[in-house]
């Protein structure tokens, strides 16, 4: 530790007053009036600023700068600018000034300021600069000092609370953590174009570059910590507090009124008045606090921190004892254990303590303990660094060059983000501090230059990263142009892109303006103002063109948005009923008044035309003129269900309809299927897509899963597909599909499948065996054919699951290997001649109840004319099965009213409800086919009046159906 000042001063003055009183400027003028002088400042940043000011007045050759990490000492320096801790106390000078003396209350640094107040003296003049609150304490400690109060040059007034995005230009927004500073700067960039960032942890080079952004008008906002409260002279008109609580290194505590006044006082400069307030997330100051800040009336400081400056270095124990001595003045209080004392305790407990044997060793140990912990790492880690340095100094008399080179090399990397670069700057500051110690390194000049060069490059990289993240240069240019009224008229190209002086600022999509994204994906409201002159006329022109556009230019997409010429202009919203949705215009505030009304009227007209055209048949059923009673009710239900109505829901009503009424309903486009009553024309893709959107608006919203996916399946022409469990099951039905098993089957395809199966299971029991058509099976069952699987686009288990869900049951009969040709043929003929058994129930069974119903009956025995016994050691063939489907014995889907498909007619009418006056009566306007039980043709043994036999499709040779067909053909005629 340096020895204290010994000279006395002929003139000791305390210049006290609030901020913006010109105290620091007055001290500089008084120092330059003397031949030599020294000024101690609270921050490295402020020391740099004062150094540049003094150098510009007298030249760099006459001014020295001494801080913990920087040392510029010309050979003939007359004026010394230093931080309070780094003031060279052994140099006699004519003038001495200590700035911001109220810092003496700080727990970490206060004892240094107290020592300078008590002991730092110039030969001719000494000035103590600080707040009015120090006046009573100065009178107690220095009764001979002259106290001069300086009034504030401008007024400071309360401006209230405003959101961060609504703070006035030339504002400083103050926060108390790096994370909060970054978050506010990000918000200001998005909304106001950008902000400069000032924190005490920044290097002077980075801080000066950031301040320059603010001072030259590139940005209108400064986001800072309380570092700006320590004498930084900035052109700030307003100070806004984002918080009134800070972490002081030990705890989070509210700021004192004096601290708030020190920061708020940065608003206003020279004779320009300033204002202060809070942001929207901070609580308003109470009336008493506001009055105290405006009048600079704060509680006086009663005590300051003190630590014994007269240390005993004869031993470590004596040093520790003298550090713990208490003051003998009531205005002084012993400082809590500081960082250097913690380091001393750490070193005294390890091997470094054993090396300190002499007074010089202990003094050197104390100097090493005063290395600042810039990185804010743990005391143990910081202690390890100090231990290594002290051990090298004791054993080598110099710090190991290879070791410090390795530490410095780790910092020499300008890549990384803001936090990484900030951390490297803090690390290199430690080695800069070491390089500035006398006789600690073999080549201190080299290491000072090396560490300063690394810090400068890291500082430049950090400034560039801060600017990229928190400043939109394009926006700042435009804001300056707006402020100076020199901005050129924005230009718009055919893509809707808006540019100003070559800078793309955004695009117009429909009636909305979107700001172009910058590197940080942030927008700025200033860009909207810059583009307003071009956006409003273009939007008016688009509104006029849309109001006269034909219907073909307007499209409703599956996402519910209305597009005009490919650009989104509106979206659908829920209306009073399902067929009357509302149109919501998507536009900026530029589309207003008559222009907005014209667009709204045109889109409303287009929407009514779309609904009336695509859903014409459905809307016609809401109030059918030719239907009354039950039929009218069914038609209305069909319209409410968007053209699709499960037959089971109106089974009793349909049963009561006579043929004349059914004929009238068929003329309206209604089809009676086995499973549904529906409008075939409404199953086309366009009506189904619109119906799906309208239904979704009323049930769960247009953005729910499936609304935008199912229309693509409808347009693809797929007849069935696997269901997605994430999609609402009702959406499949509205889209025109029935859920059957694990698949969704298009309704009209399902009805066509029912038409194919129906005649196969309704064959006349008195037929001749050889008359079985393709797919038919004995006992009123049927076999799956290629026609069926091709119709549904699936086979195997998928097709089986569909049949099971419809109430059919599967009977699988193994085909045994023949052992005697003649006997097998005889047995097969007997089995084939048996009459088919009929179900005792009139309704089919559900898929999950098929276990007992699908039990195998007596197996049929295959035959072949040339069957031979297999060889003894031959590998037996895998058994083959004949698969036949039969109507089940229970109702599908637990529907009491559903009739089994075997009893349905072509239009779904029950067979027992048909007229039975004669078998030749007309059926739906066509003659009923006559029975084919008459005389047989001698050539092919078929009735003479029967139509020619249908040519069946060839069987797959690998199919078990092909094997059964081959056996059937081999039977004796």
């Amino acid at each position: 530790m340096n020895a204290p000042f010994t000279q006395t001063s002929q003139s000791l003055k305390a210049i006290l007053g609030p901020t913006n009183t010109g105290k620091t400027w007055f001290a500089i003028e008084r120092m330059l009036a003397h031949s030599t002088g020294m000024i101690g400042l609270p921050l490295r940043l402020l020391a740099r600023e004062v150094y540049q000011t003094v150098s510009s007045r007298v030249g760099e050759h006459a001014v020295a700068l001494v801080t913990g990490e920087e040392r510029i000492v010309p050979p003939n320096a007359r004026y010394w600018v230093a931080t309070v801790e780094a003031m060279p106390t052994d140099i006699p000078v004519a003038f001495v000034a200590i700035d911001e003396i109220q810092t003496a209350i700080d727990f970490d640094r206060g004892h240094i300021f107290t020592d300078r107040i008590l002991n730092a003296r110039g030969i001719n003049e000494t000035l103590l600069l600080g707040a009015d609150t120090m006046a009573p304490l100065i009178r107690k400690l220095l009764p001979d000092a002259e106290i001069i109060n300086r009034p504030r040059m401008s007024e400071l007034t309360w401006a209230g609370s405003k959101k961060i995005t609504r703070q006035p230009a030339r504002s400083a927004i103050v926060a108390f953590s790096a994370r909060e500073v970054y978050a506010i700067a990000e918000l200001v960039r998005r909304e106001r174009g950008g902000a400069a960032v000032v924190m005490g942890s920044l290097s002077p080079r980075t801080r000066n570059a950031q301040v320059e952004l603010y001072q030259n008008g590139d940005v209108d906002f400064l986001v800072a910590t309380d570092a700006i409260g320590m004498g930084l002279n900035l052109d700030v008109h307003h100070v806004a507090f984002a918080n009134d609580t800070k972490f002081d290194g030990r705890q989070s505590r509210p700021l004192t009124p004096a601290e708030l006044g020190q920061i708020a006082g940065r608003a206003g400069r020279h004779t320009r008045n300033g204002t202060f307030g809070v942001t929207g997330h901070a609580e308003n100051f109470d009336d008493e606090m506001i009055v105290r800040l405006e009048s600079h009336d704060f509680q006086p400081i009663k005590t300051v921190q003190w630590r014994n400056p007269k240390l005993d270095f004869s031993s470590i124990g004596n040093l520790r004892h003298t550090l713990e001595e208490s003051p003998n003045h009531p205005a002084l209080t012993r400082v809590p254990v500081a960082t250097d004392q913690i380091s001393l305790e750490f070193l005294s407990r390890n091997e470094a303590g054993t090396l300190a044997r002499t007074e010089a060793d202990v003094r050197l140990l104390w100097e090493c303990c005063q290395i600042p912990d810039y990185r804010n790492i743990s005391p143990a880690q910081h202690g390890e660094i100090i231990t290594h340095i002290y051990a090298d100094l004791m054993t080598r008399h110099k710090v190991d060059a290879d070791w410090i080179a390795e530490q410095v090399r780790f910092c020499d990397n300008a890549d990384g983000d803001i936090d990484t670069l900030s951390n490297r700057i803090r690390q290199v500051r430690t080695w800069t501090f070491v390089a500035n110690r006398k006789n600690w390194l073999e080549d201190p000049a080299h290491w000072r230059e090396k560490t300063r060069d690394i810090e400068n490059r890291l500082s430049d990289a950090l400034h560039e990263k801060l600017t990229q993240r928190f400043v939109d240069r394009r926006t700042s240019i435009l804001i300056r142009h707006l402020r100076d009224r020199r901005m050129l008229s924005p230009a718009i190209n055919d893509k809707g892109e808006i540019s100003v002086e070559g800078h793309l600022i955004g695009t117009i999509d429909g009636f909305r303006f979107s700001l172009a994204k910058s590197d940080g994906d942030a927008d700025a409201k200033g860009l909207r103002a810059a583009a307003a002159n071009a956006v409003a006329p273009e939007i008016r022109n688009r509104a006029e063109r849309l109001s006269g556009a034909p219907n073909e230019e307007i499209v409703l997409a599956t996402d519910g948005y209305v597009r005009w010429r490919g650009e989104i202009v509106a979206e659908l919203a829920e209306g009073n009923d399902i067929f009357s949705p509302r149109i919501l215009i998507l536009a900026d505030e530029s589309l207003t008044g008559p222009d907005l009304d014209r667009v709204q009227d045109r889109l409303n007209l287009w929407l009514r035309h779309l609904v009336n055209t695509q859903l014409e048949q459905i809307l016609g059923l809401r109030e059918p003129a030719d239907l009354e009673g039950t039929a009218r009710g069914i038609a209305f239900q069909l319209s409410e269900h968007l053209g699709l109505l499960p037959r089971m829901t109106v089974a009793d009503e349909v049963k009561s309809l006579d043929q004349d009424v059914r004929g009238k309903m068929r003329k309206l486009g209604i089809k009676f299927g086995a499973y549904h009553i529906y409008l075939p024309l409404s199953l086309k893709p366009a009506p189904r897509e619109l119906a799906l959107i309208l239904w979704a608006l009323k049930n769960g919203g247009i953005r729910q899963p499936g609304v935008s996916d199912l229309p693509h399946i409808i347009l693809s022409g797929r007849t069935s597909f696997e269901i997605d469990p994430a999609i609402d099951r009702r959406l499949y039905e509205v889209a025109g599909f029935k859920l059957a098993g694990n698949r969704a089957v298009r309704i009209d395809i399902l009805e066509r499948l029912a038409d194919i199966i129906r005649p196969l299971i309704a064959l006349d029991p008195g037929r001749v065996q050889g008359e079985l058509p393709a797919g038919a099976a004995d006992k009123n069952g049927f076999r799956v054919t290629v026609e069926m699987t091709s119709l549904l686009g699936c086979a195997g288990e998928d097709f089986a699951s569909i049949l099971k869900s419809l109430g059919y049951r599967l009977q699988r009969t193994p085909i045994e290997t023949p052992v005697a040709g003649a006997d097998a043929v005889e047995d097969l003929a007997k089995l084939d001649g048996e009459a088919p058994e009929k179900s005792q129930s009139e309704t089919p069974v559900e898929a999950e109840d098929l276990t007992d119903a699908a039990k195998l009956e007596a197996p049929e025995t295959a035959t072949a004319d040339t069957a031979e016994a297999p060889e003894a050691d031959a590998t037996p063939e895998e058994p083959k099965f004949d698969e036949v489907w039969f109507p089940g014995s229970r109702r599908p889907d637990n529907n009491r009213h559903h009739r089994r498909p075997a009893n349905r007619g072509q239009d779904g009418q029950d067979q027992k409800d048909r007229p039975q006056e004669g078998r030749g009566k007309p059926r739906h306007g066509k003659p009923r086919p006559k029975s084919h039980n008459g005389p047989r043709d001698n050539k092919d043994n078929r009735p003479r009046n029967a139509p020619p036999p249908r040519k069946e499709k060839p069987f797959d040779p690998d199919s078990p159906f092909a094997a059964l067909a081959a056996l059937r053909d081999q039977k004796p005629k």
Side-chain angles (χ1 to χ4, degrees):
M1 180 176 180
N2 294 329
F5 289 90
T6 57
Q7 67 269 17
T8 60
S9 178
Q10 296 179 359
S11 173
L12 176 61
K13 299 177 182 179
I15 311 298
L16 306 179
T19 56
N20 194 26
T21 57
K23 296 186 296 293
T24 305
W25 183 262
F26 176 77
I28 293 173
E29 293 294 329
R30 292 301 306 151
M31 182 176 69
L32 296 180
H34 294 273
S35 59
T36 59
M38 182 183 301
I39 182 169
L41 299 157
L43 295 176
R44 182 188 178 195
L45 301 177
L46 185 57
R48 252 292 177 178
E49 183 177 331
V50 172
Y51 167 76
Q52 292 173 348
T53 301
V54 176
S55 297
S56 66
R57 297 275 298 273
V58 299
E60 293 184 356
H61 65 282
V63 186
L65 174 66
V66 180
T67 66
E69 309 95 271
E70 198 169 12
R71 186 178 180 86
I72 302 175
V73 182
N76 299 315
R78 295 188 296 121
Y79 302 105
W80 296 75
V81 180
T83 55
V84 171
E85 288 88 344
M87 292 176 66
T89 58
D90 54 348
I91 299 177
V93 289
F95 173 86
V96 170
I98 309 298
D99 197 10
E100 305 292 355
I101 59 174
Q102 70 274 8
T103 310
I105 66 174
D106 186 78
F107 286 153
D108 293 325
R109 310 169 61 207
H111 63 281
I112 304 294
F113 281 80
T114 301
D115 178 67
R116 302 297 185 256
I117 292 171
L118 296 176
N119 302 310
R121 297 290 182 269
I123 297 174
N124 298 324
E125 184 178 4
T126 301
L127 296 182
L128 304 178
L129 315 175
D132 287 329
T133 54
M134 288 291 291
L137 190 137
I138 293 296
R139 293 190 180 97
K140 292 180 181 179
L141 293 176
L142 306 170
D144 296 334
E146 179 185 359
I147 298 177
I148 301 175
N149 294 102
R150 293 177 65 93
R152 182 178 169 89
M153 298 179 183
S154 61
E155 294 183 0
L156 183 66
T157 57
W158 167 254
S161 174
K162 292 182 181 179
K163 293 181 179 179
I164 291 176
T165 56
R166 295 186 178 277
Q167 295 296 327
R170 313 310 292 170
S171 291
I173 303 173
V174 181
F176 298 98
S177 69
R179 177 178 297 180
E180 193 173 7
V181 167
Y182 293 161
I184 294 173
E186 288 274 12
L187 179 60
V188 174
R189 171 190 165 92
R190 289 196 301 269
E191 302 295 340
R192 305 297 293 274
V197 173
V198 173
M199 296 185 294
S201 60
L202 297 180
S203 65
R205 191 182 185 93
T206 303
R207 192 273 304 178
N208 291 338
Q210 286 291 301
V211 168
E212 182 63 21
L213 284 176
Y214 177 80
Q215 291 292 84
N216 65 17
D218 282 345
V219 295
D220 275 339
F221 298 91
L222 181 72
V223 184
T225 62
D226 52 350
I228 66 169
M230 290 295 181
L232 295 182
N233 296 313
L234 300 172
D235 185 19
V236 175
H237 299 171
H238 176 75
V239 171
F241 290 90
N243 202 343
D244 61 355
T245 303
K246 67 176 291 185
F247 181 75
D248 60 4
R250 294 176 173 82
Q251 62 180 350
S252 293
R253 63 172 178 82
L255 273 74
T256 65
E259 290 173 325
L260 292 173
Q262 184 76 19
I263 299 170
R266 292 298 107 192
R269 190 175 184 185
H270 299 301
T271 58
R272 176 181 294 167
N273 296 330
T275 59
F276 68 97
V278 295
T279 64
H281 294 290
E283 294 185 3
N284 277 328
F285 295 160
D286 56 42
D287 294 340
E288 181 182 357
M289 177 68 73
I290 294 172
V291 172
R292 296 178 69 179
L293 293 178
E294 290 179 339
S295 60
H296 319 291
D297 180 17
F298 308 114
Q299 291 290 334
I301 295 174
K302 297 180 180 180
T303 59
V304 292
Q305 302 297 320
W306 178 87
R307 188 170 69 182
N308 183 17
K310 299 178 181 180
L311 302 179
D312 183 358
F313 296 105
S314 60
S315 67
I316 294 178
N318 291 339
L319 174 61
R320 293 167 61 186
H321 177 73
T322 53
L323 285 171
E324 294 174 356
E325 286 187 10
S326 298
N328 56 6
H329 195 286
L332 304 177
T333 181
R334 187 165 65 88
V335 68
V337 178
T339 304
D340 50 6
Q341 285 182 262
I342 296 175
S343 300
L344 177 64
E345 294 292 336
F346 181 86
L347 267 67
S348 63
R349 292 194 300 268
N350 59 27
E351 64 275 7
T354 61
L355 299 176
R357 299 182 179 89
T358 65
E359 182 176 344
D361 296 343
V362 176
R363 189 180 296 273
L364 179 61
L365 177 65
W366 179 238
E367 290 181 5
C368 290
C369 291
Q370 291 181 304
I371 298 175
D373 184 11
Y374 293 113
R375 293 181 294 175
N376 292 323
I377 56 180
S378 67
Q381 289 178 305
H382 185 61
E384 292 292 341
I385 294 175
I386 297 176
T387 300
H388 193 287
I389 293 174
Y390 181 69
D392 281 354
L393 292 175
M394 292 298 296
T395 57
R396 302 168 179 263
H397 305 291
K398 300 292 180 183
V399 178
D400 184 9
D402 293 337
W403 179 77
I404 195 172
E406 180 182 355
Q407 306 301 319
V408 171
R409 190 183 306 114
F410 178 79
C411 304
D412 191 7
N413 183 359
D415 297 329
D417 56 15
I418 292 176
D419 292 336
T420 301
L421 294 173
S422 299
N423 184 52
R424 290 188 186 132
I425 290 176
R426 287 194 295 268
Q427 292 185 51
V428 79
R429 288 178 68 185
T430 300
W431 311 121
T432 302
F433 184 92
V434 172
N436 279 278
R437 301 304 94 192
K438 291 182 179 180
N439 304 321
W440 280 20
L441 300 174
E442 293 180 357
D443 189 358
H446 163 75
W447 289 112
R448 282 197 293 268
E449 182 179 353
K450 177 72 172 178
T451 55
R452 184 169 59 250
D453 177 66
I454 293 175
E455 182 176 344
N456 289 341
R457 286 188 286 107
L458 291 174
S459 299
D460 292 341
L462 178 59
H463 167 66
E464 187 63 28
K465 291 293 184 181
L466 289 170
T467 303
Q468 289 178 1
R469 180 171 175 181
F470 302 124
V471 179
D472 189 339
R473 290 190 179 275
R474 174 194 58 188
T475 305
S476 64
I477 293 173
L478 294 175
I479 290 176
R480 286 209 309 271
H481 283 196
L482 285 175
R483 183 168 56 241
D484 299 338
R485 301 181 181 275
R486 294 184 292 105
M487 186 182 67
L488 298 179
S489 298
I492 303 177
N493 60 18
D494 55 354
K495 297 180 180 179
E497 296 175 339
I498 301 177
S499 59
V500 177
E501 295 186 358
H503 293 279
L504 177 66
I505 61 174
T507 58
I508 296 180
D509 183 12
F511 299 110
R512 294 178 296 179
F513 172 69
S514 300
L515 291 171
K517 298 295 183 180
S518 60
D519 293 339
D521 282 340
D523 299 334
K525 287 185 176 179
L527 293 180
R528 294 187 180 275
N533 293 333
V535 171
E538 174 64 16
I539 287 182
R540 286 195 296 269
N541 293 335
R542 293 186 176 207
E544 184 177 355
R545 293 197 299 270
L546 175 57
S547 62
N551 289 332
E552 292 74 16
E553 292 185 358
I554 308 174
V555 176
L556 174 62
T558 56
D559 54 10
Y561 290 112
V562 179
R563 287 175 167 82
W564 170 58
R565 295 181 179 179
E567 297 183 3
I568 297 176
V569 294
E571 67 175 337
L572 286 191
E574 182 181 355
N576 294 330
D577 62 73
I578 194 170
F579 297 105
S580 301
R582 295 182 296 114
I583 285 282
L584 297 180
I585 306 298
L586 301 178
D588 290 334
E589 58 275 5
S590 300
L591 183 64
T592 57
D595 295 327
L596 178 60
D597 294 338
R598 286 200 300 270
V599 172
Q600 186 75 56
D601 294 341
R602 179 65 188 94
L603 292 181
N604 288 338
L605 181 62
W606 162 82
L607 181 59
R608 287 197 300 270
H609 177 269
L610 177 69
V611 174
N612 293 337
T613 302
Q614 297 294 344
L615 306 180
E616 180 180 6
Q617 269 197 328
I618 298 175
L619 293 173
L621 297 181
R622 304 192 79 183
E623 295 182 1
D626 297 337
L627 299 181
E628 300 292 340
T630 302
R632 189 181 184 90
I634 294 175
F636 183 78
Q637 290 188 58
L638 188 58
S639 68
E640 289 296 302
H641 286 76
L642 299 171
L644 299 173
L645 186 62
R647 180 161 180 156
M648 62 182 180
T649 61
V650 290
D652 293 336
E653 291 86 341
V654 171
K655 184 177 179 180
S656 65
L657 299 177
D658 57 32
Q659 289 301 312
D660 291 338
V661 174
R662 296 192 186 208
K664 292 179 181 180
M665 298 178 72
R666 281 192 287 271
K667 289 181 181 180
L668 295 175
I670 300 175
K671 182 177 178 63
F672 293 87
Y675 304 102
H676 291 84
I677 300 174
Y678 61 100
L679 295 170
L681 292 180
S682 71
L683 294 181
K684 293 183 178 296
R688 275 302 100 196
E689 180 179 349
L690 179 57
L692 192 63
I693 293 174
L694 296 181
W695 186 89
L697 288 175
K698 283 286 187 180
N699 299 270
I702 200 74
R703 306 290 184 263
Q704 61 182 297
V707 177
S708 59
D709 299 330
L710 291 178
H712 298 295
I713 298 176
I714 297 173
L715 292 173
S716 68
R718 295 173 63 181
T719 57
S720 73
F721 57 91
E722 189 172 354
I723 63 174
D724 183 355
I727 298 177
D728 190 342
R729 298 173 69 88
R730 295 176 296 174
L731 282 174
Y732 289 103
E733 300 172 2
V734 177
F737 290 84
K738 176 179 175 58
L739 298 184
N742 60 352
R743 297 182 71 80
V745 185
R746 212 169 70 195
I747 286 174
D748 56 340
I749 296 299
L750 191 66
E751 298 297 346
R752 287 175 58 185
L753 176 65
D755 293 342
I756 294 174
I757 294 175
R758 186 182 300 109
L760 298 180
I761 60 177
L763 294 174
D764 188 353
R767 71 193 182 286
V768 176
Q769 178 63 31
E771 296 180 4
L772 286 174
D778 204 357
K779 305 175 185 176
N780 287 58
F782 68 93
R783 299 180 178 88
V784 177
T785 64
V786 176
E787 180 183 8
M788 301 177 189
T789 58
S790 299
L791 182 64
L792 270 67
C794 64
E797 290 299 326
D798 289 335
F799 190 85
S801 69
I802 294 175
L803 293 179
K804 290 178 181 179
S805 69
L806 296 178
Y808 295 100
R809 60 183 177 86
L810 173 65
Q811 179 172 297
R812 305 178 70 202
T813 304
I815 302 175
E816 298 181 356
T817 303
V819 295
D823 294 340
V825 170
E826 182 179 355
D827 294 340
L828 183 59
K830 290 180 180 180
L831 289 173
D832 191 69
E834 293 178 358
E837 297 181 1
K838 295 184 179 180
S839 174
Q840 298 300 321
S841 176
E842 295 182 357
T843 55
V845 70
E846 290 185 355
E848 59 269 22
D849 297 326
L850 295 177
T851 305
D852 296 332
K855 291 181 179 178
L856 299 178
E857 299 182 5
E860 298 183 359
T861 305
T863 182
D865 295 336
T866 59
E868 297 181 0
E871 298 180 4
D873 56 352
T875 302
E877 296 182 359
E878 294 183 1
K880 297 182 178 180
F881 294 90
D882 183 17
E883 296 184 349
V884 181
W885 292 87
F886 293 90
S889 58
R890 292 177 59 188
R891 305 178 183 90
D893 301 328
N894 295 325
N895 175 29
R896 298 179 301 170
H897 308 290
H898 191 74
R899 303 293 184 180
R900 59 179 181 175
N903 293 334
R904 298 282 184 203
Q906 180 69 18
D907 64 351
Q909 180 180 349
D910 293 340
Q911 292 285 0
K912 66 179 183 178
D913 295 335
R914 295 185 181 280
Q916 301 294 331
E917 287 79 359
R919 297 182 65 87
K921 293 292 183 180
R923 178 171 177 260
H924 301 306
K926 298 180 181 180
R928 187 182 299 279
K930 297 181 180 180
S931 175
H932 297 159
N933 294 331
R936 301 284 173 168
D937 191 294
N938 295 330
K939 186 175 183 179
D940 54 4
N941 194 30
R942 65 182 179 85
R944 294 189 183 96
N945 61 345
R950 183 175 61 178
K951 184 177 181 180
E952 299 183 3
K953 296 180 181 180
F955 283 100
D956 183 355
D958 296 329
S959 172
F961 304 123
L964 292 175
L967 292 175
R968 183 184 64 197
D969 295 340
Q970 293 174 5
K971 294 180 184 179
K973 303 296 183 181

